[in-house]
């Protein structure tokens, strides 16, 4: 599929609506999610906890993964590991199959100029022309990723690590300092919540 066809797809439009902008990260996340779903033979988004994903990044791509797989932060089947890697492991609870999809080194080449422009946008020093230039770099990179051969983008390998446990639901207890309801497993032994401990 070429980039224009993907951009016109409903599932991609949903990713875009959820994330807010088109970017290389969203495109990478979309490609990884679609490949992960295909590998697991998962036909539809996870309504409950049929599928589980662990994400090794909290960057843009993580949003497309949630939209496409239905594994979400709130349902507890989207598990964050702070590794700073564009890598995701998709699991199907029914079949027990898991697959890790990880960005290859040098698969996402960003030019120095593009990187420089990202910096200027971030610290609000970009001129209008530089903003336009940034947008065109960004759109071009995003489309290139959508069209790239999947094997040039990612390593895809079946894993045999245990499937993460289902989300736990605990009856709340009260923090003795702030009096707010808290998951008991997050209270310390003196029944004080992490928020109160941090601000102490
Ligand atoms: Zn983004
Ligand atoms: Zn508290």
């Amino acid at each position: 599929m070429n980039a224009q066809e993907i951009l016109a797809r409903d599932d991609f439009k949903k990713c875009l609506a959820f994330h807010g902008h088109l970017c290389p990260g969203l495109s990478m996340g979309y490609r990884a999610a679609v490949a992960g779903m295909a590998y697991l033979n998962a036909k539809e988004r996870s309504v409950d906890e049929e599928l589980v994903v662990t994400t090794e990044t909290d960057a843009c791509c993580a949003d497309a993964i949630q939209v496409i797989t239905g594994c979400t932060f709130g349902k507890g089947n989207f598990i964050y590991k702070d590794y700073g890697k564009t890598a995701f492991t998709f699991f199907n609870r029914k079949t027990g199959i898991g697959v890790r999809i990880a960005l290859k080194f040098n698969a996402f080449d960003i030019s120095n100029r593009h990187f420089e422009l990202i910096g200027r946008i971030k610290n609000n020093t970009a001129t209008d022309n530089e903003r336009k230039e940034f947008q065109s770099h960004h759109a071009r990179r995003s489309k290139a990723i959508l069209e790239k051969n999947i094997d040039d983008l990612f390593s895809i390998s079946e894993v045999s690590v245990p499937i993460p446990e289902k989300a736990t639901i605990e009856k709340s207890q009260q923090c003795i300092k702030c009096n707010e309801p808290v998951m008991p497993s997050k209270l310390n032994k003196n029944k004080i919540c992490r928020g109160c401990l941090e601000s102490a």
Side-chain angles (χ1 to χ4, degrees):
M1 246 188 292
N2 69 34
Q4 288 312 326
E5 286 169 326
I6 296 176
L7 291 171
R9 286 177 60 98
D10 275 347
D11 60 353
F12 192 83
K13 284 185 191 162
K14 282 179 187 153
C15 293
L16 203 52
F18 181 68
H19 185 56
H21 61 232
L22 176 65
C23 66
L26 191 73
S27 300
M28 278 191 267
Y30 177 83
R31 295 298 306 276
V34 169
M37 293 291 276
Y39 196 98
L40 297 183
N41 211 4
K43 303 270 181 269
E44 53 193 35
R45 299 175 85 234
S46 189
V47 175
D48 292 311
E49 294 189 61
E50 300 87 349
L51 306 175
V52 193
V53 172
T54 57
T55 175
E56 298 176 32
T57 177
D58 61 353
C60 296
C61 36
D63 282 349
I65 304 278
Q66 292 181 85
V67 172
I68 297 298
T69 63
C71 295
T72 66
F73 196 59
K75 284 209 294 267
N77 56 347
F78 190 68
I79 298 163
Y80 176 47
K81 296 188 174 187
D82 187 10
Y83 295 172
K85 295 167 84 172
T86 304
F88 313 91
T89 308
F90 303 78
F91 299 93
N92 185 336
R93 284 197 190 282
K94 260 190 214 138
T95 60
I97 291 172
V99 62
R100 184 169 181 271
I101 299 187
L103 188 69
K104 285 183 171 171
F105 193 70
N106 281 342
F108 174 51
D109 42 330
I110 186 162
S111 71
N112 289 340
R113 179 61 180 158
H114 188 180
F115 201 75
E116 187 189 336
L117 290 166
I118 290 172
R120 281 178 202 264
I121 301 270
K122 268 236 147 73
N123 60 29
N124 276 323
T125 55
T127 64
D128 285 350
N129 274 340
E130 284 174 333
R131 277 179 195 280
K132 273 185 206 139
E133 193 189 343
F134 161 79
Q135 287 302 343
S136 88
H137 275 281
H138 229 47
R140 212 170 334 122
R141 294 307 307 142
S142 304
K143 286 176 189 165
I145 286 162
L146 290 178
E147 292 182 345
K148 211 172 170 106
N149 188 320
I150 195 82
D151 295 313
D152 294 334
L153 206 49
F154 301 116
S155 311
I156 300 179
S157 46
E158 196 159 321
V159 294
S160 54
V161 295
I163 298 180
E165 294 197 8
K166 286 197 176 182
T168 52
I169 299 167
E170 302 172 30
K171 203 167 183 304
S172 294
Q173 284 180 9
Q174 199 170 28
C175 166
I176 60 160
K177 281 203 136 176
C178 64
N179 298 324
E180 289 175 354
V182 188
M183 280 174 80
S185 61
K186 308 287 181 185
L187 286 166
N188 80 352
K189 62 179 192 307
N190 299 319
K191 305 285 176 207
I192 299 172
C193 78
R194 292 177 180 179
C196 288
L197 286 171
E198 237 173 63
S199 54

